[in-house]
Protein backbone atom coordinates (compact mmCIF):
# COMPACT_ATOMS: atom_id res chain seq x y z
CA UNK A 1 0.00 0.00 0.00
CA UNK A 2 0.99 3.63 -0.35
CA UNK A 3 3.35 4.34 2.57
CA UNK A 4 1.71 7.74 3.05
CA UNK A 5 -1.64 6.14 3.73
CA UNK A 6 -2.34 4.62 7.14
CA UNK A 7 -2.73 0.87 7.20
CA UNK A 8 -6.35 -0.23 7.65
CA UNK A 9 -7.09 -1.00 11.27
CA UNK A 10 -8.19 -4.41 12.37
CA UNK A 11 -11.95 -4.29 12.18
CA UNK A 12 -14.93 -6.01 13.66
CA UNK A 13 -17.29 -5.79 10.71
CA UNK A 14 -19.28 -8.92 9.98
CA UNK A 15 -20.47 -8.22 6.44
CA UNK A 16 -18.86 -7.25 3.16
CA UNK A 17 -20.43 -5.51 0.18
CA UNK A 18 -18.43 -5.85 -3.03
CA UNK A 19 -18.59 -4.05 -6.36
CA UNK A 20 -18.11 -6.15 -9.50
CA UNK A 21 -16.51 -4.19 -12.33
CA UNK A 22 -12.83 -3.51 -11.64
CA UNK A 23 -12.82 -5.65 -8.49
CA UNK A 24 -14.18 -9.10 -9.33
CA UNK A 25 -14.52 -8.84 -13.11
CA UNK A 26 -11.96 -6.93 -15.16
CA UNK A 27 -11.92 -5.66 -18.74
CA UNK A 28 -10.90 -8.51 -21.02
CA UNK A 29 -7.26 -7.61 -21.69
CA UNK A 30 -6.84 -10.44 -24.20
CA UNK A 31 -9.46 -8.87 -26.46
CA UNK A 32 -8.85 -5.19 -25.75
CA UNK A 33 -5.05 -4.92 -25.65
CA UNK A 34 -4.73 -5.56 -29.42
CA UNK A 35 -7.12 -2.66 -30.05
CA UNK A 36 -4.81 -0.32 -28.17
CA UNK A 37 -1.67 -1.80 -29.71
CA UNK A 38 -2.97 -1.27 -33.26
CA UNK A 39 -2.92 2.45 -32.56
CA UNK A 40 0.60 2.49 -31.16
CA UNK A 41 -0.23 2.08 -27.48
CA UNK A 42 0.65 -0.54 -24.89
CA UNK A 43 0.86 -4.07 -26.20
CA UNK A 44 0.80 -6.20 -23.05
CA UNK A 45 -2.16 -7.14 -20.84
CA UNK A 46 -0.33 -5.73 -17.82
CA UNK A 47 0.16 -2.40 -19.58
CA UNK A 48 -3.47 -2.33 -20.65
CA UNK A 49 -4.81 -2.99 -17.15
CA UNK A 50 -2.55 -0.29 -15.73
CA UNK A 51 -3.84 2.20 -18.30
CA UNK A 52 -7.42 1.15 -17.61
CA UNK A 53 -7.27 2.02 -13.92
CA UNK A 54 -5.51 5.32 -14.61
CA UNK A 55 -8.18 6.32 -17.11
CA UNK A 56 -10.97 5.12 -14.84
CA UNK A 57 -9.80 7.21 -11.92
CA UNK A 58 -9.38 10.27 -14.16
CA UNK A 59 -12.92 9.80 -15.45
CA UNK A 60 -14.36 9.31 -11.94
CA UNK A 61 -12.23 11.46 -9.59
CA UNK A 62 -12.95 11.80 -5.90
CA UNK A 63 -12.77 15.59 -6.13
CA UNK A 64 -13.36 18.05 -8.92
CA UNK A 65 -14.72 17.44 -12.38
CA UNK A 66 -13.93 14.41 -14.55
CA UNK A 67 -10.98 14.96 -16.85
CA UNK A 68 -12.94 13.42 -19.69
CA UNK A 69 -14.86 10.36 -20.79
CA UNK A 70 -13.28 7.00 -19.95
CA UNK A 71 -13.13 5.96 -23.60
CA UNK A 72 -11.47 9.23 -24.54
CA UNK A 73 -8.98 9.08 -21.68
CA UNK A 74 -7.85 5.48 -22.10
CA UNK A 75 -5.75 6.03 -25.27
CA UNK A 76 -3.89 8.87 -23.56
CA UNK A 77 -3.01 6.77 -20.53
CA UNK A 78 -2.17 3.79 -22.74
CA UNK A 79 0.58 5.60 -24.63
CA UNK A 80 -1.29 6.08 -27.91
CA UNK A 81 0.14 8.95 -30.00
CA UNK A 82 -2.03 12.05 -29.76
CA UNK A 83 -3.00 11.99 -33.42
CA UNK A 84 -4.49 8.50 -32.89
CA UNK A 85 -6.44 9.18 -29.72
CA UNK A 86 -9.78 9.68 -31.43
CA UNK A 87 -9.55 6.71 -33.80
CA UNK A 88 -8.36 4.47 -30.96
CA UNK A 89 -11.24 5.57 -28.73
CA UNK A 90 -13.72 4.90 -31.52
CA UNK A 91 -12.35 1.39 -32.14
CA UNK A 92 -12.27 0.62 -28.43
CA UNK A 93 -15.84 1.80 -27.98
CA UNK A 94 -17.00 -0.17 -31.02
CA UNK A 95 -15.71 -3.50 -29.70
CA UNK A 96 -17.05 -2.69 -26.24
CA UNK A 97 -20.52 -2.33 -27.74
CA UNK A 98 -20.46 -5.88 -29.07
CA UNK A 99 -20.78 -7.19 -25.50
CA UNK A 100 -19.93 -6.19 -21.93
CA UNK A 101 -16.14 -6.44 -21.97
CA UNK A 102 -15.86 -6.33 -18.19
CA UNK A 103 -16.20 -10.09 -17.91
CA UNK A 104 -12.70 -11.41 -17.18
CA UNK A 105 -12.56 -12.92 -13.67
CA UNK A 106 -9.74 -11.88 -11.35
CA UNK A 107 -8.42 -15.18 -9.87
CA UNK A 108 -6.90 -13.48 -6.83
CA UNK A 109 -10.16 -11.73 -5.97
CA UNK A 110 -12.02 -15.03 -6.31
CA UNK A 111 -9.64 -16.72 -3.87
CA UNK A 112 -10.09 -13.89 -1.41
CA UNK A 113 -13.87 -14.00 -1.76
CA UNK A 114 -13.77 -17.72 -1.04
CA UNK A 115 -11.63 -17.20 2.06
CA UNK A 116 -13.89 -14.45 3.36
CA UNK A 117 -17.09 -16.47 2.97
CA UNK A 118 -15.38 -19.51 4.51
CA UNK A 119 -14.60 -17.36 7.56
CA UNK A 120 -18.32 -16.80 8.05
CA UNK A 121 -18.48 -13.22 6.85
CA UNK A 122 -21.69 -12.34 5.03
CA UNK A 123 -21.11 -11.18 1.46
CA UNK A 124 -23.38 -9.26 -0.89
CA UNK A 125 -22.44 -8.33 -4.44
CA UNK A 126 -23.56 -4.78 -5.24
CA UNK A 127 -23.32 -3.88 -8.92
CA UNK A 128 -24.58 -0.98 -10.99
CA UNK A 129 -25.53 -3.13 -13.95
CA UNK A 130 -28.05 -3.89 -16.67
CA UNK A 131 -29.96 -6.78 -15.15
CA UNK A 132 -27.44 -9.42 -16.27
CA UNK A 133 -24.74 -9.27 -13.62
CA UNK A 134 -25.78 -12.48 -11.86
CA UNK A 135 -25.43 -14.39 -15.13
CA UNK A 136 -22.11 -12.71 -15.92
CA UNK A 137 -20.71 -13.71 -12.53
CA UNK A 138 -21.99 -17.24 -13.04
CA UNK A 139 -20.53 -17.49 -16.56
CA UNK A 140 -17.19 -16.25 -15.22
CA UNK A 141 -17.35 -18.88 -12.46
CA UNK A 142 -16.72 -16.09 -9.98
CA UNK A 143 -19.67 -16.35 -7.59
CA UNK A 144 -23.38 -16.96 -7.30
CA UNK A 145 -26.16 -17.31 -4.75
CA UNK A 146 -26.36 -20.96 -3.70
CA UNK A 147 -24.45 -23.84 -5.23
CA UNK A 148 -22.55 -23.37 -8.46
CA UNK A 149 -19.13 -23.17 -10.09
CA UNK A 150 -18.07 -20.05 -8.18
CA UNK A 151 -18.01 -18.84 -4.61
CA UNK A 152 -21.36 -19.06 -2.83
CA UNK A 153 -22.35 -15.58 -1.63
CA UNK A 154 -25.37 -14.44 0.31
CA UNK A 155 -26.77 -12.05 -2.29
CA UNK A 156 -26.18 -10.64 -5.76
CA UNK A 157 -27.84 -7.26 -6.26
CA UNK A 158 -28.17 -5.68 -9.71
CA UNK A 159 -29.18 -2.02 -9.76
CA UNK A 160 -31.55 -2.51 -12.70
CA UNK A 161 -33.43 -5.21 -10.83
CA UNK A 162 -33.36 -3.51 -7.43
CA UNK A 163 -34.50 -0.22 -8.94
CA UNK A 164 -31.81 2.08 -7.52
CA UNK A 165 -28.45 3.07 -8.99
CA UNK A 166 -25.27 3.94 -7.14
CA UNK A 167 -24.68 6.24 -5.36
CA UNK A 168 -28.28 6.09 -4.12
CA UNK A 169 -27.96 4.87 -0.51
CA UNK A 170 -31.15 2.85 -0.92
CA UNK A 171 -29.24 0.45 -3.14
CA UNK A 172 -26.70 -0.21 -0.40
CA UNK A 173 -29.41 -0.50 2.22
CA UNK A 174 -31.08 -3.17 0.11
CA UNK A 175 -27.86 -5.17 0.41
CA UNK A 176 -27.82 -4.66 4.18
CA UNK A 177 -31.37 -5.97 4.36
CA UNK A 178 -30.38 -9.09 2.45
CA UNK A 179 -27.50 -9.67 4.87
CA UNK A 180 -29.61 -8.82 7.94
CA UNK A 181 -27.01 -6.41 9.31
CA UNK A 182 -26.83 -2.74 10.26
CA UNK A 183 -24.72 -0.26 8.33
CA UNK A 184 -22.21 -0.09 11.19
CA UNK A 185 -21.52 -3.80 10.74
CA UNK A 186 -20.62 -3.62 7.06
CA UNK A 187 -17.77 -2.61 4.79
CA UNK A 188 -18.15 -1.80 1.10
CA UNK A 189 -15.36 -2.15 -1.48
CA UNK A 190 -15.59 -0.57 -4.92
CA UNK A 191 -13.33 1.01 -7.52
CA UNK A 192 -15.28 4.21 -8.18
CA UNK A 193 -15.32 7.05 -5.68
CA UNK A 194 -18.46 8.94 -6.86
CA UNK A 195 -20.58 5.77 -7.05
CA UNK A 196 -19.09 3.30 -4.58
CA UNK A 197 -17.41 5.36 -1.89
CA UNK A 198 -19.95 8.18 -1.78
CA UNK A 199 -22.90 5.83 -2.01
CA UNK A 200 -21.68 3.62 0.82
CA UNK A 201 -20.86 6.63 2.98
CA UNK A 202 -24.34 8.05 2.40
CA UNK A 203 -25.77 4.77 3.66
CA UNK A 204 -23.58 4.89 6.78
CA UNK A 205 -21.36 2.04 5.60
CA UNK A 206 -17.58 2.07 5.95
CA UNK A 207 -16.30 2.69 2.43
CA UNK A 208 -13.04 1.36 1.02
CA UNK A 209 -11.70 2.42 -2.37
CA UNK A 210 -10.23 -0.40 -4.47
CA UNK A 211 -7.28 1.45 -6.00
CA UNK A 212 -4.60 -1.00 -7.28
CA UNK A 213 -2.12 1.66 -8.42
CA UNK A 214 -2.72 4.46 -5.91
CA UNK A 215 -4.32 6.65 -8.57
CA UNK A 216 -6.84 8.27 -6.23
CA UNK A 217 -6.54 12.05 -6.22
CA UNK A 218 -7.69 12.37 -2.59
CA UNK A 219 -6.00 9.67 -0.51
CA UNK A 220 -6.91 11.33 2.78
CA UNK A 221 -10.66 11.42 2.23
CA UNK A 222 -11.35 7.71 2.55
CA UNK A 223 -9.65 4.35 3.05
CA UNK A 224 -7.95 2.38 0.30
CA UNK A 225 -6.77 -1.08 -0.62
CA UNK A 226 -4.71 -2.25 -3.59
CA UNK A 227 -5.88 -5.88 -3.52
CA UNK A 228 -9.14 -7.35 -2.32
CA UNK A 229 -7.30 -9.54 0.19
CA UNK A 230 -6.41 -6.40 2.15
CA UNK A 231 -10.06 -5.91 3.11
CA UNK A 232 -9.76 -8.86 5.48
CA UNK A 233 -8.10 -6.47 7.96
CA UNK A 234 -11.46 -4.76 8.32
CA UNK A 235 -13.44 -7.94 8.91
CA UNK A 236 -14.09 -10.11 11.94
CA UNK A 237 -14.33 -13.85 11.17
CA UNK A 238 -17.48 -15.35 12.60
CA UNK A 239 -17.54 -18.52 14.71
CA UNK A 240 -18.65 -21.53 12.75
CA UNK A 241 -21.28 -23.90 14.14
CA UNK A 242 -19.96 -27.16 15.53
CA UNK A 243 -20.66 -30.23 13.48
Amino acid sequence: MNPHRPAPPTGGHVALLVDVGGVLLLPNAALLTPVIARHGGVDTPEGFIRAHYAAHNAAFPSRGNPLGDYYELLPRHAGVPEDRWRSCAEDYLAISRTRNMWHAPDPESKRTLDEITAAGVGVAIVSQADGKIAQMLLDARMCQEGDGPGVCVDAVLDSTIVGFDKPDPRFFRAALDRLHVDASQAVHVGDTVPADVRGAQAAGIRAVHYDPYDDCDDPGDHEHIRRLREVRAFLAPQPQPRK
Side-chain angles (χ1 to χ4, degrees):
M1 297 185 69
N2 187 323
H4 299 294
R5 298 179 183 178
T10 300
H13 302 83
V14 300
L16 175 66
L17 279 59
V18 189
D19 181 32
V20 175
V23 182
L24 302 180
L25 301 182
L26 309 179
N28 190 323
L31 294 177
L32 295 171
T33 303
V35 178
I36 303 298
R38 284 200 301 269
H39 292 273
V42 294
D43 58 3
T44 66
E46 295 78 12
F48 166 76
I49 291 297
R50 175 66 190 99
H52 157 73
Y53 280 107
H56 185 268
N57 276 278
F60 302 100
S62 61
R63 292 187 299 181
N65 296 320
L67 300 180
D69 177 82
Y70 166 77
Y71 294 97
E72 297 173 349
L73 291 168
L74 181 62
R76 309 179 191 189
H77 288 279
V80 174
E82 186 173 354
D83 63 344
R84 302 292 299 276
W85 284 353
R86 182 173 180 178
S87 58
C88 180
E90 290 173 349
D91 285 353
Y92 188 90
L93 182 57
I95 191 172
S96 297
R97 284 172 172 163
T98 63
R99 64 170 295 188
N100 188 329
M101 285 292 163
W102 295 52
H103 61 255
D106 183 331
E108 182 180 327
S109 289
K110 181 178 179 179
R111 287 193 297 271
T112 299
L113 203 62
D114 191 31
E115 293 167 358
I116 288 172
T117 58
V121 174
V123 174
I125 306 303
V126 185
S127 180
Q128 188 166 340
D130 59 0
K132 302 176 182 177
I133 200 63
Q135 188 62 50
M136 285 182 62
L137 290 165
L138 186 64
D139 292 343
R141 306 176 72 86
M142 173 59 70
C143 62
Q144 71 288 314
E145 294 184 26
D147 295 333
V151 179
C152 177
V153 297
D154 296 276
V156 176
L157 288 87
D158 185 310
S159 62
T160 294
I161 296 174
V162 174
F164 305 115
D165 281 338
K166 298 176 182 177
D168 192 322
R170 290 175 293 182
F171 188 29
F172 296 88
R173 291 175 188 141
L176 297 177
D177 290 343
R178 292 288 302 274
L179 293 173
H180 306 290
V181 297
D182 295 329
S184 62
Q185 297 175 290
V187 175
H188 174 71
V189 175
D191 71 329
T192 304
V193 173
D196 290 295
V197 172
R198 302 304 178 218
Q201 290 174 337
I205 299 168
R206 189 174 189 172
V208 180
H209 185 192
Y210 185 85
D211 183 18
Y213 299 96
D214 293 323
D215 289 317
C216 184
D217 62 318
D218 191 1
D221 178 64
H222 48 271
E223 295 169 298
H224 302 73
I225 57 174
R226 297 189 70 181
R227 297 290 182 269
L228 187 59
R229 64 174 179 265
E230 295 171 16
V231 80
R232 291 180 299 186
F234 294 88
L235 302 170
Q238 299 302 293
Q240 300 299 296
R242 295 182 179 180
K243 296 182 178 180

